[in-house]
Amino acid sequence: MSGRIPSSGSGSASLRVPSSTYRLQLSPEQDFAAATDLVGYLGDLGAGALYCSPLLQPSPGSMHGYDVVDPTKVNDELGGEQARVALIGALREAGLKALIDLVPNHMGVAVPEANPSWWSLLQLGPESPYASWYDVDLSVPILIPVLGSPEDVEKLELSDDASELRYFEHRYPVAPGSAEGTAQEVHERQHYRLVHWRRGNAELTYRRFFDVSDLAAVRVDDPAVFDATHAEVLRWVGADPDVVAGLRIDHPDGLTAPGAYLLRLRERLGDEAWLLVEKITSLRADGVTEALPASWPADGTTGYDALREVCGLFVDPRGESLIEQVAAEHTGQRQRLSVAEHTAKRLVTDEILLAEVRRIARLVPAEDGDDEATVQDAVAELLAAYPVYRSYLPEGRADLELAVDTASTARPELAPVVRRIRAAMIADPDGPLTLRVEQTSGMVTAKGVEDTTFYRWNRFVALNEVGGKPDRFGVSPAEFHAAAAHRDAATPVAMTTLSTHDTKRSEDVRARLAVLSELTAEWGALLRTLSVRHPLPSPSLELLAWQSVIGAWPLTEERLGGYLTKASKEAKLVTAHVDANAEVDEQIAAWPAQVLGSAETVAEIESFVAQIDGHGRSNALGQKLLQVAGPGVPDVYQGTELFEYSLVDPDNRRPVEFPRRRELLARIDGGWLPPGDDPDGASKLLVTAAALRLRRFRPELFDGYAPLPAAGPAAEHAVAFARGGPAGRERLVVVATRLPVGLEAAGGWADTVLPLPGGASDWTDMVTGEAVVGSTPRMADLLARYPVALLVRPA
């Protein structure tokens, strides 16, 4: 848990915490004016706050905002300061708050002329007033990996006034007094060198965001740099504290000292602001989720832990052996997840982040007889052995010790060097070696697990999610309830989520795919039939592709092709971003048209999706209600108040059809109850709005947590909890259906009942508006129309 525990489960009165958030991806196509126009709809939906993607000035044309080039001004492509103020005013008038996404770790450098600080650094080098801003080695020229080939240095040109070097559309400054001669001669006098793009991974002289050379790391550990890069956002918070609830901090694991950064930020924000970190907490071997360091003055994470718990509840653990068998038969191998992860992590250390590994190796205390390659290998093995993203010494010493033991056991010949690294890190927890290891361990885990293994280890991709553990097949009700109770007690104002701009697939895709855990034989038969008819260059990719087709159906050629191109290159098995295989890429690019152009195949896909879709919608409604009504502050990702079957970005950042959502919400508010088998999603909108509105207008109900067991032959298919009152006298009950295929096969609920808290009989289902009959209602009656219920007693 973090060091800030509010005094009540619904949030301390001293914190500016909204009842919920609605995540909106702002871009030139969805700007401040568009967001302002949506404020009324968000208020009607019941959202408590607008959770905005980054608002500072990004690279020209940026569609996401995570490549800030000027932290001193608001994004003019969103409408500028006047439009931002108008949005804040609209939120204030509607009684809503705002949560701002802040990116302190890196800035965009793809277009140097758009970034004043980077341009100055390139032009003036160590003499630049921005020399302290970036995590860069200024003792040597800054390597810019942009050339298409080493010989392309001959293609450099000088501008007419000799103030710039140009490489096609790329522009770079010329240092004062260095402009005489040919472009190549001028280039050799600069504080930077334009080099072949392949040299970036092994030789880069500045720290990046993962392996993205266009995002250069910023040294916000320097107080002066912190002040300069945070002044504008902190001004927004100070100017409108009644509206701006707080900040969401992007990728704190990349910072030199995240704990110190958060302490400084909390001091500037004040105690009342809501402060969240985009920190992926790992599920440890003992089944306990990693907690934030106790010294961090943060209110929690952005909720990937809750995503794993909620989604896992709808996966049938009894299907694991058959799912494993289907995957093994298809790929021809059985591989433990831990082995796959280690292999992928070493790929990252040895190729993608080689420059960082070499930099760390140079910091390891030397001994006579040291071999450079051995020290580098030991660093890489230690980084690949981390059980979490980062150890945060001295608090996280146990995680470091586990990494050291794992690496030393796996590679005994490296153990002496690994233990020497450990001793140096413990002796100086704030020293450069420790900080570089910790910054890099998170990158190795993220690139090795999320961005490689989760595209390779594809036995059941509903579990291959950010923060997930694909080898833990589902979450039992007991585990779910324990985690929810812990969240209520320890981090009650942390965010919870089901979909984000970074998830590998949307919540509804995962909900539909969860049904495969109950229909394993049917899934295996379909896979065997379709994969023979439409092969791909990799069995692993085939396994991923067919699950993606089923989960996100219906798909266009463009969407499916874009996804498979990205997935195959992230997997790095038969092609990759860096070393592309043209023949393989052509086969993958042609596959969507072959599949979607076959009437027989399309008919079989549609028949199978029709078989599982109703059960998938049941799962989707269940996980949505459990998340929105459960402990923590729920976030709704844009568009997911209806069924939304998206894959990884950019698919999940497509424009949302908001007029349709407004229309359906107005119909619901007019008294319309969508049909229970509604395929379009109005039922999900109904459930989402009912829970969000209740959170906003009756916050006292969302305190505390108690499991509520059903009784009867189908009790295992019900998951329910009670909140909002002393034990046994709670006034809110949440009910969802799990494993709907098994429930249907067993003949339904039969005489299963749900005993309600305190024997009370004055309950109303806020989803249907109907009164509940008795204090021990039959599940068949309670869930006659929808597979979920939200029961409330009068205030």
Side-chain angles (χ1 to χ4, degrees), residues 284 290-291 382 385-393 395-406:
R284 301 182 186 278
E290 174 193 5
L382 176 61
Y386 263 72
V388 293
Y389 282 68
R390 184 167 172 159
S391 58
Y392 312 109
L393 290 181
E395 288 173 90
R397 180 165 172 176
D399 293 317
L400 172 62
E401 300 289 4
L402 183 54
V404 168
D405 290 345
T406 301

Side-chain angles (χ1 to χ4, degrees), residues 46 58 66 225 246 361 380 452 478:
Y66 289 92
V225 177
T452 304

Side-chain angles (χ1 to χ4, degrees), residues 13-48:
S14 65
L15 292 177
R16 302 196 299 266
V17 180
S19 57
S20 65
T21 61
Y22 189 99
R23 170 70 181 201
L24 198 62
Q25 293 293 116
L26 298 180
S27 70
E29 297 175 1
Q30 186 165 264
D31 58 10
F32 287 135
T36 301
D37 184 61
L38 285 173
V39 168
Y41 166 71
L42 298 184
D44 292 342
L45 184 65

Side-chain angles (χ1 to χ4, degrees), residues 24 140-141 250 263 305 349 361 388 405 408 414 473 479 514 561 608 670 707 771:
L24 198 62
V140 294
D250 182 72
L263 286 167
D305 51 344
T349 58
V388 293
D405 290 345
S408 299
L414 299 177
F473 204 84
E479 181 184 351
F608 188 80

Side-chain angles (χ1 to χ4, degrees), residues 110-113 146-149 151-159 164-172 183-184 194 197:
V111 185
E113 67 270 23
V146 69
L147 301 183
S149 73
E151 294 74 28
D152 273 8
V153 70
E154 298 300 323
K155 297 179 181 178
L156 299 183
E157 297 178 348
L158 278 168
S159 61
E164 296 178 358
L165 276 169
R166 294 179 177 174
Y167 174 66
F168 296 103
E169 74 276 15
H170 303 283
R171 298 164 49 197
Y172 302 92
Q184 291 68 34
L194 307 183
W197 62 268

Side-chain angles (χ1 to χ4, degrees), residues 204-408:
L204 206 66
T205 54
Y206 61 91
R207 187 166 57 84
R208 306 170 289 182
F209 173 70
F210 299 128
D211 59 340
V212 184
S213 297
D214 288 341
L215 297 174
V218 180
R219 293 190 58 246
V220 292
D221 52 300
D222 183 320
V225 177
F226 176 96
D227 290 342
T229 56
H230 286 64
E232 180 65 3
V233 167
L234 291 174
R235 182 183 70 80
W236 301 344
V237 178
D240 297 287
D242 56 327
V243 178
V244 183
L247 302 177
R248 175 261 198 197
I249 304 305
D250 182 72
H251 187 49
D253 277 347
L255 301 176
T256 301
Y261 167 81
L262 291 169
L263 286 167
R264 183 175 291 117
L265 182 59
R266 171 59 71 189
E267 181 183 359
R268 302 293 200 279
L269 284 173
D271 291 336
E272 296 181 3
W274 194 31
L275 182 56
L276 299 173
V277 290
E278 187 218 12
K279 162 66 185 169
I280 299 168
T281 52
S282 302
L283 185 68
R284 301 182 186 278
D286 59 4
V288 176
T289 299
E290 174 193 5
L292 293 182
S295 63
W296 285 17
D299 298 307
T301 73
T302 50
Y304 285 112
D305 51 344
L307 183 157
R308 182 193 69 82
E309 295 152 10
V310 174
C311 294
L313 185 63
F314 295 87
V315 173
D316 189 347
R318 292 166 294 198
E320 181 174 17
S321 61
L322 282 176
I323 288 287
E324 172 73 19
Q325 181 178 331
V326 168
E329 287 178 355
H330 191 79
T331 61
Q333 66 173 345
R334 293 178 187 266
Q335 184 183 50
R336 294 198 312 274
L337 178 65
S338 59
V339 173
E341 289 181 345
H342 181 267
T343 300
K345 286 181 177 181
R346 282 308 308 253
L347 170 66
V348 171
T349 58
D350 298 351
E351 297 182 18
I352 298 174
L353 298 178
L354 182 56
E356 285 80 358
V357 171
R358 287 175 170 172
R359 190 173 187 178
I360 293 169
R362 292 194 291 268
L363 295 171
V364 175
E367 287 190 359
D368 291 341
D370 269 354
D371 174 70
E372 182 180 341
T374 299
V375 174
Q376 188 173 305
D377 196 10
V379 169
E381 194 65 27
L382 176 61
L383 292 170
Y386 263 72
V388 293
Y389 282 68
R390 184 167 172 159
S391 58
Y392 312 109
L393 290 181
E395 288 173 90
R397 180 165 172 176
D399 293 317
L400 172 62
E401 300 289 4
L402 183 54
V404 168
D405 290 345
T406 301
S408 299

Side-chain angles (χ1 to χ4, degrees), residues 330 455 458 461 505 513 523 527 534 536 538-552 555 560 563-564 567 588 591 595 605 647:
H330 191 79
Y455 289 96
N458 294 321
V461 300
R505 49 198 56 83
L513 290 176
W523 157 240
L527 176 67
H534 301 287
L536 277 165
S538 159
S540 170
L541 183 61
E542 285 180 346
L543 200 56
L544 173 61
W546 287 114
Q547 289 178 81
S548 301
V549 168
I550 296 300
L555 281 163
L560 181 56
Y563 174 72
L564 290 181
I588 292 170
W591 193 80
V595 169
I605 293 170
L647 298 169

